[in-house]
Amino acid sequence: MATNFLSTANPFVPSSSSTRVYYNPIKCSVKRELTLCKGCNPHSPIVTKRGLSISFLTSFVLSLAGKNANANAAILEADDDVELLEKVKRDRKKRLEKQGVISSSKQETGYLQDLVYKLSAVGQALEKNDLSAAGSVLGGGTDTEWVQRANIAFNKLSSSPEEMTEVDTFNSSLASLISSVSKNDVESSKIAFVSSATAFEKWTSMTGLASQLKGL
């Protein structure tokens, strides 16, 4: 029976003369790739010449971009330095011109010194709620001689819109002060006095006269 089984098994084995070989492209391709990658780390990236070229080009471009950015920053910084230097020169020139005007305005500086004394006397009177004493210093209105002289000095020594704004605030507050004192309104008088004195102090600071006047 064993001989019969072997003899009957022959038909299942193709003879050499009738053997056909079928080419499987997918199988061959897989086999080829496995052969090429044999011995390589499967987790390592595949490095190609094209990849190296792209990486080098990217690094080069980024390097140039960084250099350009640094160069542009240096140019902007230089421009800022030049602009700052020009501003310092303009400010210094303006201060020198202002000092020259102040030095040649002894009479106007005297008017302002008198204004300081007047405001100081009024402030002391208001601290004591003595509106009569404050009124005798202020006078009956803004047309008094000391007020007119102070405005002559304001107009000559003011050189900017900001300074003239403080002058307007001073005159407006001074008018309110004189009116409140004449009405015996202590609280309103004190408020108006603080407003006028503050505006005057700001103006002297802007014009550089604060150090020229005594009592500030």
Side-chain angles (χ1 to χ4, degrees):
M1 184 176 290
T3 304
N4 291 336
F5 179 76
L6 290 175
S7 62
T8 56
N10 288 334
F12 292 95
V13 181
S15 62
S16 58
S17 60
S18 62
T19 300
R20 295 182 180 180
V21 179
Y22 295 94
Y23 174 72
N24 190 330
I26 297 177
K27 193 172 183 180
C28 290
S29 177
V30 172
K31 184 177 180 181
R32 181 174 179 272
E33 290 186 10
L34 289 175
T35 302
L36 290 174
C37 295
K38 186 177 180 180
C40 299
N41 186 352
H43 300 289
S44 300
I46 299 175
V47 180
T48 63
K49 291 183 178 180
R50 183 174 181 272
L52 287 174
S53 299
I54 293 174
S55 177
F56 175 77
L57 181 60
T58 302
S59 300
F60 181 70
V61 171
L62 291 177
S63 176
L64 287 180
K67 291 180 179 178
N68 289 335
N70 293 334
N72 291 335
I75 292 173
L76 290 176
E77 185 176 354
D79 291 341
D80 291 340
D81 291 342
V82 171
E83 184 177 354
L84 180 61
L85 181 60
E86 291 298 325
K87 184 178 184 302
V88 171
K89 290 181 179 179
R90 290 195 300 269
D91 291 343
R92 182 173 182 275
K93 182 180 179 181
K94 186 176 180 180
R95 286 196 305 272
L96 292 175
E97 291 175 350
K98 176 73 72 175
Q99 291 174 3
V101 172
I102 293 174
S103 299
S104 62
S105 304
K106 299 296 184 180
Q107 187 176 33
E108 287 76 12
T109 303
Y111 294 159
L112 295 173
Q113 187 63 67
D114 184 51
L115 173 60
V116 173
Y117 293 149
K118 289 283 195 299
L119 290 178
S120 179
V122 172
Q124 292 175 9
L126 291 176
E127 284 182 352
K128 301 174 183 178
N129 294 330
D130 189 351
L131 296 184
S132 178
S136 64
V137 175
L138 291 170
T142 56
D143 57 347
T144 55
E145 184 177 6
W146 69 273
V147 176
Q148 296 297 319
R149 286 180 174 179
N151 276 282
I152 291 173
F154 287 147
N155 292 330
K156 181 176 182 179
L157 299 174
S158 297
S159 58
S160 70
E162 292 78 13
E163 293 169 4
M164 289 307 302
T165 296
E166 296 303 329
V167 171
D168 293 339
T169 301
F170 170 80
N171 284 319
S172 176
S173 299
L174 182 64
S176 297
L177 172 61
I178 294 172
S179 176
S180 297
V181 168
S182 65
K183 295 177 182 178
N184 292 320
D185 188 338
V186 176
E187 293 302 321
S188 296
S189 297
K190 290 180 178 181
I191 293 172
F193 172 79
V194 171
S195 179
S196 59
T198 300
F200 178 64
E201 288 179 354
K202 287 182 178 179
W203 181 84
T204 57
S205 178
M206 289 179 178
T207 57
L209 279 159
S211 60
Q212 304 290 326
L213 302 174
K214 299 177 181 179
L216 288 180

